[in-house]
Amino acid sequence: MDSLGKILLELGELRQAGELHQQILTLAEKQTLQTWQPPPGVGVAHCGLAVVLYERNDLKTALIHAEKGIEIFKPWGITEHLLDSYDVLARIKLAQGDVSGALSMAQTAVSLVQEPQVPDWLQAMKVARKAAWKYLLHSNQR
């Protein structure tokens, strides 16, 4: 997600974060029509909107945006953004009661950062997210 969107989410400003990501999608649609390939910013907006919708418990629509973010990021190979998308997708699936789907998304994300060319800070992110996913999965099984 973009920095401003992350800050708005951290502050609990869901409406503003949602509006920001929706504006990005609207602007990006125009560029996509010209290039036929969505730029990475469109994936960022989809991922950010997925987080907002997840927080609002609109899991069905959040799932669509998280999957769209992943679809856009894959050809670009932007690991950090793919991690964000798989992270929210895992949380959505867990909230929907799909524990195996959530675990699968979490494992996919972890496998992304096992490549030798991935920087150390991304490796650290992997460790932190893996711990968070284990906690979420464990607390959901109670």
Side-chain angles (χ1 to χ4, degrees):
M1 269 180 295
D2 69 299
S3 298
L4 179 56
K6 284 183 178 181
I7 291 169
L8 289 169
L9 285 170
E10 288 295 321
L11 293 173
E13 299 291 342
L14 294 180
R15 182 186 56 77
Q16 287 179 311
E19 288 173 359
L20 172 70
H21 293 296
Q22 193 58 57
Q23 287 173 355
I24 294 168
L25 286 177
T26 301
L27 292 171
E29 284 176 7
K30 294 175 185 174
Q31 182 179 350
T32 302
L33 289 174
Q34 294 171 357
T35 64
W36 296 98
Q37 182 179 10
V42 175
V44 170
H46 279 291
C47 181
L49 206 47
V51 173
V52 169
L53 294 165
Y54 165 80
E55 292 293 336
R56 290 182 176 159
N57 204 31
D58 182 353
L59 302 178
K60 186 176 180 180
T61 311
L63 181 72
I64 292 166
H65 284 284
E67 289 174 338
K68 188 68 175 170
I70 290 168
E71 178 186 321
I72 291 169
F73 290 134
K74 276 187 177 180
W76 292 96
I78 305 172
T79 305
E80 178 184 1
H81 294 313
L82 277 167
L83 272 175
D84 285 339
S85 295
Y86 279 114
D87 180 54
V88 71
L89 187 55
R91 289 186 284 148
I92 293 165
K93 288 190 174 284
L94 187 60
Q96 291 176 325
D98 182 2
V99 176
S100 65
L103 185 57
S104 175
M105 293 301 105
Q107 289 170 337
T108 300
V110 168
S111 71
L112 285 173
V113 292
Q114 291 178 339
E115 302 296 320
Q117 72 273 13
V118 173
D120 290 340
W121 66 268
L122 211 48
Q123 291 285 348
M125 233 167 96
K126 174 196 78 168
V127 172
R129 287 200 173 157
K130 192 172 182 179
W133 288 322
K134 282 184 180 181
Y135 173 78
L136 284 173
L137 291 169
H138 177 71
S139 65
N140 193 51
Q141 292 174 344
R142 291 181 186 169

